[in-house]
Amino acid sequence: MPITHPFLLYGATGYTGRLLARAANERGLRPILCGRDESRLAALASELGLEYRVARLDAGLDEALRGVQAVLHAAGPFSSTCRPMVDACLRAGVHYLDLSGEVAAIEGVFQRGAEARRRGVMLMPGAGFDVVPSDCLALHLSRQVRGARRLVLGISGLEMISRGSFRTLAEGAGQSILIRRGGRILELVPGSLQRELDFGSGPRTSLAMSWGDVSTAYYSTGIPDIEVYCDAIPTLWMMVMANRWFGGLLASDVGRLGLELQARALPAGPTPEQRAGRQGVIVAEVEDAAGRRLRGRLRTPEAYTFSCTTALALVERVLAGDVEAGAQTPARVYGPDFVLSFAGVLREEF
């Protein structure tokens, strides 16, 4: 029987939003589809037999949240979209989840934690591949190395990105790479921090990236020094080096226009055939002050597919009343083994 407690899926007509809408329908969930383009919303809602509501982030959100228990926010870049949605959720007393992997956006959500607790609202950014598997792996290892002071995470399996993800990356043009030292977020020159990580087939060069765990892993584990790396596939290497040497130009009006034209030329996202059979791989290493280390590796289904799986499972938890008010991370509320409840996930220590 379908779960009838309503939740709002905002950004439903984007690439990931469409994946979520279809996956939700298959799970027996009945999301209210929402976004700003009525014609596209109406077509998707008709296809899936779902309700839809039209709302922009600067107008109409309060009405769109009427009668809703939770929002799954899938419209990026979250640096510009999450604040108005969080504001509306706090006004309405509605729980908030999103798919953000952006450090600044996640930090902004956590700054609202005290207000969320007062209002009995849970705010949970990073409900997808960013950051559920890495968050769970980090907490699992940190609980075995008490007093860990350093966390290194590595991500592999991001060869294919959607048009929206490219726009999020393009927003980083001219910006520094973010890591955490002594509990504080620091900025580094792009490409200046590299290391070898083993994703399962031997050491591979990986580049430090501004990934959501720089924020979320700190709140989950309390570890003060955090670095996140991505497997340095050729496309990523070129993007990082371009940002390092030409970031100022890319961040200019002319540069941003060029990036937007490039984004428009990209397909909406990988096809089902392209996603089929692919994997995501997370590696992690924790270390304490005495130099004791523990490493782990987590394999998951392909990133976009797995984002739908984890985000909708979290929505189901919320709709069932399994929430903790305040700004939260997935692993902190639902435990490090939450990720092991899904098919195709394997965790190992090495």
Side-chain angles (χ1 to χ4, degrees):
M1 179 179 294
I3 294 176
T4 56
H5 302 300
F7 76 97
L8 193 80
L9 174 58
Y10 192 86
T13 61
Y15 174 76
T16 304
R18 286 176 176 272
L19 293 180
L20 285 164
R22 294 190 172 98
N25 226 24
E26 291 171 2
R27 292 175 75 108
L29 294 166
R30 305 294 294 172
I32 299 170
L33 308 182
C34 193
R36 60 186 181 180
D37 189 324
E38 183 166 11
S39 62
R40 295 172 66 191
L41 280 170
L44 182 61
S46 176
E47 173 193 335
L48 299 177
L50 297 173
E51 179 185 346
Y52 75 90
R53 297 175 183 177
V54 181
R56 301 194 314 271
L57 287 166
D58 61 351
L61 284 181
D62 290 345
E63 180 62 22
L65 294 181
R66 177 177 44 82
V68 166
Q69 288 184 266
V71 166
L72 178 55
H73 184 46
F78 295 92
S79 58
S80 57
T81 67
C82 74
R83 183 179 180 86
M85 183 59 79
V86 168
D87 287 344
C89 285
L90 290 172
R91 287 194 300 269
V94 170
H95 302 300
Y96 170 91
L97 303 96
D98 73 28
L99 298 178
S100 176
E102 302 167 33
V103 177
I106 294 171
E107 284 292 301
V109 172
F110 272 85
Q111 290 171 8
R112 313 295 295 278
E115 182 181 0
R117 283 193 298 274
R118 290 195 301 271
R119 295 176 181 269
V121 170
M122 184 169 78
L123 307 176
M124 183 173 285
F129 186 81
D130 312 358
V131 295
V132 169
S134 45
D135 194 43
C136 288
L137 182 58
L139 185 56
H140 169 70
L141 295 178
S142 72
R143 285 184 173 178
Q144 298 180 73
V145 181
R146 296 294 182 178
R149 304 293 300 169
R150 185 164 178 260
L151 168 67
V152 171
L153 284 161
I155 318 291
S156 182
L158 303 178
E159 294 86 356
M160 303 178 297
I161 64 171
S162 69
R163 186 184 300 146
S165 295
F166 180 87
R167 286 192 170 110
T168 297
L169 290 172
E171 273 211 342
Q175 297 182 12
S176 302
I177 298 300
L178 303 179
I179 65 169
R180 195 178 284 271
R181 286 283 187 273
R184 300 182 63 182
I185 294 176
L186 302 181
E187 299 182 357
L188 299 178
V189 174
S192 62
L193 189 59
Q194 306 175 23
R195 66 178 293 156
E196 299 291 306
L197 294 173
D198 185 356
F199 295 100
S201 56
R204 294 179 58 87
T205 300
S206 302
L207 296 171
M209 298 291 290
S210 299
W211 196 263
D213 295 271
V214 172
S215 179
T216 52
Y218 176 69
Y219 297 111
S220 293
T221 69
I223 294 175
D225 294 357
I226 301 172
E227 300 167 4
V228 184
Y229 295 80
C230 285
D231 185 8
I233 56 176
T235 302
L236 175 63
W237 186 277
M238 288 188 292
M239 292 177 67
V240 170
M241 290 302 108
N243 193 28
R244 177 170 184 168
W245 299 111
F246 307 109
L249 175 61
L250 294 173
S252 69
D253 290 343
V254 172
R256 292 200 179 278
L257 176 60
L259 290 170
E260 175 58 24
L261 292 174
Q262 187 175 349
R264 293 179 186 178
L266 293 173
T271 65
E273 294 75 22
Q274 289 172 325
R275 299 199 316 272
R278 290 183 175 268
Q279 281 190 324
V281 183
I282 313 290
V283 295
E285 177 184 286
V286 295
E287 182 179 358
D288 65 14
R292 181 189 172 208
R293 297 178 183 176
L294 182 63
R295 297 184 180 94
R297 186 184 294 120
L298 190 73
R299 299 183 185 276
T300 77
E302 181 274 332
Y304 286 102
T305 302
F306 198 54
S307 286
C308 293
T309 300
T310 60
L312 293 173
L314 289 169
V315 166
E316 288 175 336
R317 293 283 191 108
V318 171
L319 295 181
D322 186 3
V323 300
E324 186 173 337
Q328 306 291 353
T329 67
R332 185 185 177 283
V333 175
Y334 301 112
D337 292 342
F338 171 70
V339 72
L340 299 182
S341 65
F342 305 111
V345 176
L346 176 66
R347 186 177 70 199
E348 59 181 329
E349 295 172 12
F350 63 99

